[in-house]
Amino acid sequence: MNPMWPDFLDTECVPLPSNVAACRVQVDAARWCEAADAMREAGADLLSLWGSDDRDRDQCLRVHAAYLLRDRVVVVEHAMPADRPIYPSLATRFPAAGRLQRATYDLLGIRADAGDMRPWLRHGGWPEGVFPLRRDVAATQTWPVTSSPYPFIPVSGDGVHEMTAGPVHAGTIEPGRFQLAVVGEKVLRLEVRLGYTHKGIAKRFEAMAQCDAHRLAAHICGDSTVAFSWAYCAALEAITASTPSPRALVLRGLALERERIANHLGDLGGLANDVGFAFGQTQFSSLKEQLLRHNAELFGQRYLFDFVVPGGVASDLPARALPGMLDEIAALERAVGDLRGIYARHEGLQDRFLGAGRLTPAQAAALGAIGLAGRASGVARDLRVDQPWSPYDQSSPALATSTEGDVAARVQVRFEETLESLRLCRQWLQALPAGERVCEVPVAPAGQLGIGLIEGWRGPVMLALETGPAGGIRRCRAHDPSWQNWPLLEVAILGNIVADFPLINKSFNLSYSGHDG
């Protein structure tokens, strides 16, 4: 037993509806710190941090921290009086908390008592002192944009100069600003500025019906649409004690793994492009395109925005489609295996991959790296393995890891995960269970909190859903793992040459839209 583990985390925790083991506990400021210390000592990840406006209930604002242990999720809640919403900072214990705390202040005016106080999501879109997620601020309210320069941390010294990339980039990608301080060709410091794609997702959820909001969840981050929509549906189904059929759950698993495969194929091609290996880009782009076209034939969409619905899935797979899907899997396994060998033998490509953008296991653990980026740096965690939900609890997924932490390691993990996803898809298709496509999901009563947690291709996607009256939503927090992993890029780039920044950035391939919310 961990001597630092406080009794209240066992005796006062109440079960929380979820697709994984989860519980919640309400604490005061002292216990908020005590819980954080215990979680850090136990090796937990800070899964997310968010706030809520409960002044209409008890004149309080609340901050919530979700911690991911090996065997469960623990949500710790701390209430503060509305006239003094200040809570102890978690940033010294969990570095990923820093930006989450800044965003929570921007949206709700709930402030951590220490750490970086610069704005994070507020780019002048609303005035300082206005907090748009509070219940007395209308969703339709607008203000004149009064943007001011962001106070980047200055770097000075002999031979140091600064370079800026973004927020507008030379390609059809989302906006983010990268402020680099360099000496000669070597990067001395990188500071990332995000929030340009903030869309007010959390406020929009509050105006939606429980039965419809999975569509909004699916559009939070387009390349992770299955993960986000499944996380929403998992939370709602857990709250309402609704259980989709085994067939529906397997079909969801197939969709999630096809999403993982498509993104890995695209990244493996993009990384080849960043080192001038056009053959690799062409081959992987073709494989991804074939997969997306097959999605359109099978499900009616290239990207499966509308596939996961409360209670199951929007469409079934006809029996005649199964042989073609199995043939597709076999062809992809051969092609990916062949290309993996070509990548491994290509000296020019390996010269650029090996050693570039290294994030050591010690750095990854200290910074709270999760998902694919964490697994490539020795953080051997995957929800499909550690806390499997159906259909993964019957499938024994293999864990892909490396301890090298460089671009080559992140490439290796992508290859291994692609092949493992193909294996899972074959296993499910060969024993596709019978069952209904969708089951009825009743309206949930107001005041219920549920958690949906899905291992997306980048890492754990979490959605915390609190129900409102008349089938509505009181609060919904959607969290992308890019929150944890963007700060990793600022460490991995140090000491590398400027010309390798696009390559290293692409090897993480983090989300702007999913992060900005």
Side-chain angles (χ1 to χ4, degrees), residues 35 52 73 75 138 149 187 240 251 254-255 268 283 289 293 328 334 350 367 417 432 455 476:
S52 58
V73 174
V75 176
V187 177
T240 59
L251 292 175
L254 283 166
L268 290 167
Q283 294 298 310
E289 177 62 21
R293 290 183 182 185
E328 177 192 40
R334 289 192 298 271
Q350 290 300 318
L367 293 170
E417 290 193 353
L432 188 61
E455 186 74 30
C476 187

Side-chain angles (χ1 to χ4, degrees), residues 118-415:
R118 293 175 294 169
W120 186 244
L121 291 181
R122 187 176 64 82
H123 284 260
W126 58 89
E128 188 174 1
V130 171
F131 306 108
L133 260 187
R134 289 196 175 187
R135 300 196 177 278
D136 51 5
V137 179
T140 55
Q141 178 70 53
T142 59
W143 299 269
V145 175
T146 56
S147 186
S148 58
Y150 181 73
F152 285 98
I153 296 173
V155 179
S156 60
D158 291 341
V160 176
H161 66 282
E162 292 188 325
M163 302 173 60
T164 298
V168 179
H169 301 282
T172 52
I173 62 173
E174 292 180 304
R177 181 170 172 177
F178 304 94
Q179 193 77 6
L180 297 114
V182 301
V183 177
E185 291 188 330
K186 295 294 182 69
V187 177
L188 183 66
R189 177 182 173 82
L190 168 65
E191 188 172 358
V192 178
R193 174 73 168 127
L194 301 171
Y196 297 93
T197 66
H198 178 67
K199 303 168 287 297
I201 293 289
K203 195 77 170 181
R204 183 70 185 94
F205 268 121
E206 294 175 7
M208 299 193 74
Q210 297 167 15
C211 60
D212 293 331
H214 62 285
R215 295 188 175 92
L216 179 60
H219 285 78
I220 291 171
C221 179
D223 62 18
S224 300
T225 179
V226 176
F228 273 98
S229 55
W230 195 348
Y232 176 85
C233 291
L236 181 61
E237 289 156 3
I239 290 171
T240 59
S242 305
T243 304
S245 72
R247 184 179 184 87
L249 291 169
V250 166
L251 292 175
R252 286 181 179 181
L254 283 166
L256 185 67
E257 295 310 313
R258 291 180 73 87
E259 181 169 89
R260 192 183 320 277
I261 294 164
N263 281 288
H264 286 351
L265 293 175
D267 284 352
L268 290 167
L271 287 162
N273 180 60
D274 281 341
V275 299
F277 187 43
F279 172 81
Q281 182 194 22
T282 301
Q283 294 298 310
F284 276 110
S285 296
S286 175
L287 293 175
K288 179 179 179 180
E289 177 62 21
Q290 292 172 50
L291 181 73
L292 295 178
R293 290 183 182 185
H294 202 196
N295 275 353
E297 295 172 7
L298 293 168
F299 308 108
Q301 292 180 304
R302 290 164 59 86
Y303 294 94
L304 306 181
F305 287 100
D306 301 320
F307 184 67
V308 180
V309 300
V313 292
S315 60
D316 206 340
L317 275 180
R320 64 178 181 277
L322 303 188
M325 294 183 74
L326 291 169
D327 289 344
E328 177 192 40
I329 289 169
L332 276 170
E333 285 176 330
R334 289 192 298 271
V336 171
D338 290 345
L339 286 165
R340 185 179 189 180
I342 291 170
Y343 273 40
R345 294 189 297 270
H346 194 284
E347 293 182 3
L349 184 147
Q350 290 300 318
D351 180 65
R352 294 290 302 279
F353 284 1
L354 290 168
R358 175 167 278 124
L359 183 77
T360 68
Q363 291 170 329
L367 293 170
I370 60 175
L372 185 152
R375 290 191 289 274
S377 292
V379 181
R381 294 190 176 184
D382 185 325
L383 288 169
R384 299 172 299 165
V385 177
D386 300 331
Q387 300 184 50
W389 68 101
S390 184
Y392 294 97
D393 55 352
Q394 303 294 321
S395 305
S396 302
L399 185 66
T401 61
S402 172
T403 57
E404 295 303 314
D406 55 3
V407 172
R410 292 185 281 277
V411 168
Q412 172 193 321
V413 170
R414 282 180 170 90
F415 271 116

Side-chain angles (χ1 to χ4, degrees), residues 63-119:
V63 62
H64 312 255
Y67 297 98
L68 180 62
L69 291 157
R70 284 282 187 179
D71 60 345
R72 65 191 184 281
V73 174
V74 179
V75 176
V76 181
E77 303 173 357
H78 172 46
M80 298 150 285
D83 59 352
R84 197 174 187 278
I86 300 174
Y87 62 96
S89 172
L90 301 183
T92 57
R93 302 170 178 89
F94 296 93
R99 292 174 180 174
L100 289 162
Q101 292 174 169
R102 292 161 64 187
T104 301
Y105 178 76
D106 288 347
L107 296 173
L108 280 155
I110 303 170
R111 188 184 289 283
D113 64 359
D116 193 340
M117 299 297 178
R118 293 175 294 169

Side-chain angles (χ1 to χ4, degrees), residues 45-47 95-97 99-100 178 190 192 194 359 363-365 367-377 379 410 414 455-460 479-493 504-505 507-511 515:
D45 293 319
L46 177 66
L47 187 59
R99 292 174 180 174
L100 289 162
F178 304 94
L190 168 65
V192 178
L194 301 171
L359 183 77
Q363 291 170 329
L367 293 170
I370 60 175
L372 185 152
R375 290 191 289 274
S377 292
V379 181
R410 292 185 281 277
R414 282 180 170 90
E455 186 74 30
W457 71 270
R458 285 190 181 95
H479 182 94
D480 188 280
S482 299
W483 276 101
Q484 279 87 345
N485 288 346
W486 272 115
L488 309 182
L489 178 63
E490 296 177 336
V491 173
I493 189 63
I504 295 167
N505 188 17
S507 73
F508 286 95
N509 195 12
L510 303 172
S511 174
H515 167 282

